[in-house]
């Protein structure tokens, strides 16, 4: 297999081009990071936040997972990767804004809508099913309104953003900062088919940016 070699070749191009052009910025970043925005996005290879938002190194603190989900606050001593990243970004880096970025053709949203891995063991879809069960309530809302057609798929993708934002606000340090005016929460949706970014308003509706 040569795919890793392709990545190494890409590193060499980066090292001789972008890294040299932005050497001063990399030197500053070596001293620490001060991103102002956290982006919670999907792991989907077609949705790259830094490219979509055209950001420079050090500008955004990014967490990616299946279906760009944030679990609710749980203080059970478990290993909570998203929660740890959120806590670090908000309380230690003091980011000023958090963006939840959903996207079109999301496999995680599709898995939640269809329950395609409902009876699968871990290693064959079981982990995915357990994770997207965060969308169980959203699935019922979507099915009640749209059934299982194409409109349901888009609606479910938008629900990943709304659900994650609702769960964000179960973390005590989120609403207290929102109330103080030091943190803002945003929802966004990137349509892979046409490259259009949609922004969520205060009523949870989406419109092109």
């Amino acid at each position: 297999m040569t795919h890793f070699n392709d990545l190494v070749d890409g590193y060499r191009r980066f090292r001789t081009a972008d890294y040299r052009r932005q050497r001063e910025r990399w030197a500053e970043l070596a001293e620490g990071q001060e991103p102002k925005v956290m982006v919670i996005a999907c792991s989907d290879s077609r949705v790259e936040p830094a490219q979509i938002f055209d950001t420079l190194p050090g500008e955004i603190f990014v967490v990616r997972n299946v279906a760009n989900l944030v679990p609710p606050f749980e203080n059970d001593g478990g290993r909570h990767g998203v929660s740890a990243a959120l806590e670090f970004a908000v309380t230690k880096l003091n980011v000023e804004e958090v963006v939840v970025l959903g996207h079109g053709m999301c496999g995680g949203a599709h898995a939640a809508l269809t329950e395609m891995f409902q009876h699968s063991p871990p290693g064959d879809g079981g982990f995915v099913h357990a994770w997207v069960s965060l969308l169980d309530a959203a699935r019922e809302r979507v099915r009640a309104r749209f059934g299982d057609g194409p409109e349901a798929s888009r609606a479910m993708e938008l629900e990943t953003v709304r659900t994650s934002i609702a769960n964000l606000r179960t973390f005590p340090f989120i609403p207290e900062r929102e109330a103080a005016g030091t943190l803002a929460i945003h929802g966004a949706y990137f349509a892979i088919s046409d490259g259009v970014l949609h922004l969520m308003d205060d009523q949870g509706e989406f419109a092109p940016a």
Side-chain angles (χ1 to χ4, degrees):
M1 295 180 68
T2 62
H3 303 300
F4 181 67
N5 290 337
D6 291 340
L7 296 181
V8 174
D9 287 342
Y11 154 75
R12 293 189 177 112
R13 293 192 298 273
F14 158 75
R15 191 75 170 85
T16 58
D18 285 354
Y19 185 81
R20 289 185 178 180
R21 284 196 297 267
Q22 301 185 62
R23 187 67 189 92
E24 185 175 332
R25 183 171 187 85
W26 284 107
E28 293 175 358
L29 292 174
E31 301 299 320
Q33 60 171 327
E34 294 182 345
K36 302 302 180 185
V37 180
M38 177 184 191
V39 178
I40 300 167
C42 186
S43 298
D44 193 301
S45 62
R46 299 165 293 181
V47 186
E48 174 52 61
Q51 190 168 23
I52 292 169
F53 295 118
D54 192 23
T55 59
L56 295 172
E59 285 191 317
I60 56 176
F61 185 88
V62 180
V63 171
R64 300 177 70 171
N65 63 57
V66 173
N68 44 269
L69 291 174
V70 175
F73 176 79
E74 294 176 312
N75 187 19
D76 59 3
R79 297 180 175 91
H80 301 290
V82 176
S83 302
L86 178 65
E87 177 186 67
F88 182 71
V90 174
T91 71
K92 305 307 177 187
L93 294 177
N94 295 309
V95 296
E96 299 172 3
E97 300 178 87
V98 177
V99 180
V100 178
L101 177 64
H103 72 95
M105 304 176 70
C106 179
H110 178 70
L113 180 64
T114 62
E115 298 183 273
M116 61 190 296
F117 297 126
Q118 184 176 15
H119 303 295
S120 300
D124 192 32
F127 286 126
V128 173
H129 178 74
W131 178 246
V132 299
S133 68
L134 290 165
L135 295 166
D136 283 352
R139 180 184 64 249
E140 297 311 312
R141 291 194 299 271
V142 169
R143 281 181 172 173
R145 184 175 179 185
F146 299 105
D148 294 314
E151 288 185 320
S153 295
R154 171 69 173 252
M156 196 66 181
E157 291 160 0
L158 299 180
E159 283 291 342
T160 68
V161 179
R162 298 187 186 106
T163 297
S164 289
I165 288 177
N167 287 344
L168 274 173
R169 291 182 169 130
T170 66
F171 289 77
F173 51 82
I174 297 292
E176 65 184 25
R177 284 170 170 76
E178 283 189 287
T182 59
L183 182 69
I185 307 295
H186 306 282
Y189 174 88
F190 180 73
I192 290 175
S193 59
D194 57 18
V196 175
L197 181 73
H198 300 252
L199 304 181
M200 191 181 84
D201 63 21
D202 292 339
Q203 285 71 50
E205 299 301 320
F206 290 79

